[in-house]
């Protein structure tokens, strides 16, 4: 389930002109879910968003970050 504050937090990054693929490199699990949802749902509203995500390797970076978190914590389950 996506946190209700997710898109409000994401708007801060977008408003400041921060590129989301750079944010992913240090993101927590909640932000990773939010960013991935943003691109997947966004493609229904704006054709080409998924293509942009692939160009910036959003999913590759997100999966690598999840692996890093798993290695650090030993689990991806949030407490």
């Amino acid at each position: 389930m996506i946190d209700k504050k997710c898109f409000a937090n994401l708007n801060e990054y977008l408003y400041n002109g921060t590129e989301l693929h750079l944010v992913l490199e240090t993101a927590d699990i909640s932000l990773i879910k939010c960013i991935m949802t943003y691109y997947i749902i966004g493609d229904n509203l704006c054709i080409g968003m998924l293509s942009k995500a692939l160009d910036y390797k959003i999913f590759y970076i997100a999966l690598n970050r999840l692996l890093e978190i798993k290695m650090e914590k030993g689990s991806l389950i949030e407490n």
Side-chain angles (χ1 to χ4, degrees):
M1 212 57 186
I2 298 296
D3 181 4
K4 292 182 190 284
K5 296 181 276 182
C6 167
F7 291 107
N9 294 339
L10 192 58
N11 281 334
E12 283 184 41
Y13 290 111
L14 296 172
Y15 181 75
N16 292 327
T18 307
E19 297 189 28
L20 294 179
H21 64 283
L22 299 176
V23 173
L24 273 172
E25 294 174 359
T26 57
D28 62 4
I29 293 172
S30 179
L31 185 56
I32 292 170
K33 288 192 286 188
C34 185
I35 291 172
M36 292 180 77
T37 302
Y38 168 78
Y39 278 102
I40 292 168
I41 291 175
D43 196 62
N44 289 327
L45 305 172
C46 177
I47 295 173
M49 280 194 69
L50 203 51
S51 176
K52 182 179 175 184
L54 294 173
D55 289 344
Y56 283 108
K57 300 180 181 174
I58 294 290
F59 301 110
Y60 175 79
I61 296 168
L63 290 173
N64 277 333
R65 180 63 185 140
L66 288 172
L67 285 173
E68 286 176 14
I69 292 170
K70 183 177 184 222
M71 297 297 282
E72 290 170 6
K73 295 183 177 181
S75 175
L76 290 176
I77 298 172
E78 294 176 316
N79 294 327

